[in-house]
Amino acid sequence: MNIDTPGDTIILGTKGGLRIPSTDCWNGSVGGPMKIYHEVCGLQTETVVPIINDHGPSLFDRKIRSFLDACKNGTPAPVPSSQIIYNQAILDGIAKSAKVGREVEIVIPEI
Amino acid sequence: MAEKMDAKLDYNQKKEEVVVDANRKLRIGIIGCGWIADSHIDSYKRMPDVEIVAGCDLIPGKAAAFFKKNGVEGVKTDYASHKEMLDDESLQLDAVSICTYNRQHAEPAIYALNKGVHVMLEKPFTVTIEEAAEVMKAEKASGKVLSIGFQPRLDPNMQMIKKIVDSGELGQIYYIQTGGGRRRGIPTPFGTSFIEDKTAGLGALADIGCYSLDMVLNAIGYPKPLTVTGYKSDFFGKDPNYVGYGAHHEYADLFGVDDFAAAFVRLEGGIILDFRIA
Ligand SMILES: NC(=O)c1ccc[n+]([C@@H]2O[C@H](COP(=O)([O-])OP(=O)(O)OC[C@H]3O[C@@H](n4cnc5c(N)ncnc54)[C@H](O)[C@@H]3O)[C@@H](O)[C@H]2O)c1
């Protein structure tokens, strides 16, 4: 695309909005300190969420470790399919809607 | 509020000591020995309770070269496909990492789960929703662990997004804009598995779009998506003179996925998701 970024991520709520600075790809961490836009005593206020310094194991080590722990302990998957099916439904829905050129209903299959 | 949250807080200060029982080892196999498999083996090597016992790739010799390069010995690799490896009962596999291209996520995952093996499946889950449902049926029948490879979930700054939403600080969520992307980023450093329909199935959507979706959907508790209006294009991928291809002008002919996509999605709970990715 011919632009640096199509925009930060924003989450709007009735009491506050959150801005998450963009990165090329959200495969690691946030692109910079996040900001909460809210009101304090009637004044529009912005609160910067500081970056947490993370000196722990790499994200990939954590990904593998959390998976192994689930296998060993019989605990739920760290990133469960019951959630990611909705992520996949959106990707699939975009492809299907793009193909037919209009809005489509998302149908989640019975498991 | 900003003062209260100490910017110098070390994530590790709060880390619980994880005790790993190194006497109880898990026998691991790797399916697909390409780019991301390097990060899997790198991590497995650091785990005291792991024995890497097997690996396979569709390309003959690739798995053997992969383990050699990574300095792991005694691994069985003489398999023509994931099926042969998973059929080899002498391996006594506990779990596999599936590091294949997107179109080869569902089949090996189903085969492994049917064999009673835990599965770490790289993102995206699959290419189609139908494939994902088939994998979940196998997961349910097997009772084994299936986890999808979204490592940003474990980043403390990413985790703050969910904590902030859950704290109620934002009130009721009604609109989200997300996506992101690369200005010039069609990924072809190791060949064409990300750009051909027969291997990737989806382009930027599956390569990086799924991450931004996971970031925001996880933060708000993964509400069910209801409807979507989507758009995809391939103006850059189909251009033989696309700068990122260098001398590989033929990649334009092979390009069969999206290099840009946008969507307007309605989620349960009256939430709107406005999404674009490149
Ligand atoms: N989590 C992350 O940060 C991250 C990063 C990069 C890639 N990925 C994901 O990992 C997957 C693989 O990406 P990559 O860059 O390693 O691709 P790649 O093309 O470099 O490697 C894939 C390998 O899988 C092999 N393969 C395909 N089907 C197979 C089968 N049935 N049995 C055995 N081998 C098979 C191919 O021959 C190839 O060698 C993709 O789905 C991608 O989205 C995740």
Side-chain angles (χ1 to χ4, degrees):
Chain A
M1 64 180 169
N2 285 318
I3 200 77
D4 52 350
T5 167
D8 292 340
T9 287
I10 60 175
I11 300 180
L12 298 186
T14 49
K15 280 172 61 188
L18 180 70
R19 177 184 294 281
I20 312 165
S22 67
T23 70
D24 267 8
C25 170
W26 299 103
N27 62 351
S29 192
V30 295
M34 298 185 279
K35 239 184 219 181
I36 301 172
Y37 297 73
H38 51 164
E39 289 186 6
V40 174
C41 305
L43 279 186
Q44 291 184 331
T45 305
E46 282 138 55
T47 299
V48 176
V49 181
I51 291 287
I52 301 167
N53 295 323
D54 182 6
H55 304 298
S58 76
L59 296 186
F60 287 100
D61 279 5
R62 287 179 197 161
K63 164 164 116 177
I64 295 296
R65 187 68 252 162
S66 60
F67 167 66
L68 296 173
D69 288 343
C71 297
K72 280 183 118 172
N73 306 329
T75 46
V79 183
S81 59
S82 55
Q83 293 178 355
I84 307 303
I85 183 91
Y86 292 160
N87 188 312
Q88 197 60 44
I90 294 174
L91 299 182
D92 181 79
I94 294 171
K96 285 187 177 136
S97 163
K99 203 168 178 189
V100 297
R102 58 175 166 75
E103 183 178 55
V104 297
E105 202 168 314
I106 294 179
V107 182
I108 310 289
E110 277 293 317
I111 309 299
Chain B
M1 194 176 166
E3 271 85 352
K4 272 197 198 158
M5 301 164 91
D6 186 354
K8 302 219 170 53
L9 176 80
D10 270 352
Y11 182 64
N12 257 359
Q13 286 172 4
K14 288 185 138 188
K15 203 181 82 171
E16 289 169 38
E17 270 307 310
V18 185
V19 183
V20 174
D21 179 3
N23 292 323
R24 233 183 97 209
K25 292 212 193 306
L26 291 172
R27 296 172 66 81
I28 303 287
I30 295 180
I31 300 176
C33 298
W35 183 17
I36 195 60
D38 274 329
S39 99
H40 285 243
I41 195 163
D42 208 39
S43 296
Y44 282 128
K45 276 162 61 180
R46 271 195 282 280
M47 303 299 159
D49 54 347
V50 158
E51 253 180 276
I52 305 165
V53 295
C56 64
D57 198 286
L58 293 180
I59 300 169
K62 189 164 176 176
F66 166 80
F67 290 106
K68 191 164 181 225
K69 177 185 79 176
N70 282 287
V72 181
E73 288 173 1
V75 179
K76 279 184 85 174
T77 58
D78 50 344
Y79 308 105
S81 74
H82 62 274
K83 284 190 183 149
E84 280 186 17
M85 185 181 103
L86 288 158
D87 283 343
D88 182 349
E89 290 182 359
S90 74
L91 293 173
Q92 295 181 296
L93 285 168
D94 291 301
V96 288
S97 268
I98 300 184
C99 301
T100 52
Y101 35 71
N102 310 340
R103 286 269 189 213
Q104 276 293 311
H105 279 198
E107 207 188 301
I110 293 168
Y111 205 81
L113 289 164
N114 286 344
K115 286 275 173 188
V117 172
H118 301 294
V119 172
M120 156 58 65
L121 176 60
E122 260 308 336
K123 52 53 63 178
F125 192 166
T126 51
V127 174
T128 68
I129 184 80
E130 290 81 10
E131 285 174 327
E134 289 308 309
V135 177
M136 285 178 78
K137 283 179 193 160
E139 177 196 10
K140 196 173 170 187
S142 73
K144 293 291 160 182
V145 174
L146 166 68
S147 193
I148 321 294
F150 284 100
Q151 68 276 355
R153 288 271 191 115
L154 300 156
D155 174 73
N157 292 291
M158 288 293 217
Q159 289 170 343
M160 272 305 281
I161 303 169
K162 185 168 178 56
K163 286 183 189 167
I164 290 167
V165 172
D166 288 348
S167 75
E169 193 67 36
L170 306 181
Q172 184 187 336
I173 308 299
Y174 58 90
Y175 174 87
I176 294 174
Q177 173 186 303
T178 194
R182 301 167 174 141
R183 183 167 175 180
R184 184 190 294 156
I186 296 175
T188 50
F190 304 110
T192 55
S193 66
F194 280 85
I195 65 169
E196 290 195 70
D197 180 47
K198 67 173 193 224
T199 45
L202 296 168
L205 273 172
D207 180 16
I208 57 180
C210 62
Y211 284 119
S212 28
L213 290 176
D214 189 60
M215 172 173 72
V216 296
L217 293 174
N218 180 46
I220 61 171
Y222 258 102
K224 192 172 175 179
L226 304 175
T227 64
V228 55
T229 299
Y231 167 85
K232 291 196 306 177
S233 59
D234 58 6
F235 295 110
F236 297 85
K238 280 294 198 193
D239 177 3
N241 296 315
Y242 172 69
V243 183
Y245 290 160
H248 286 286
H249 304 291
E250 76 281 7
Y251 283 180
D253 276 338
L254 298 174
F255 194 89
V257 293
D258 53 284
D259 63 42
F260 179 82
F264 188 85
V265 187
R266 285 177 196 278
L267 305 170
E268 214 165 54
I271 302 170
I272 295 301
L273 176 66
D274 183 349
F275 170 76
R276 69 297 296 266
I277 197 79

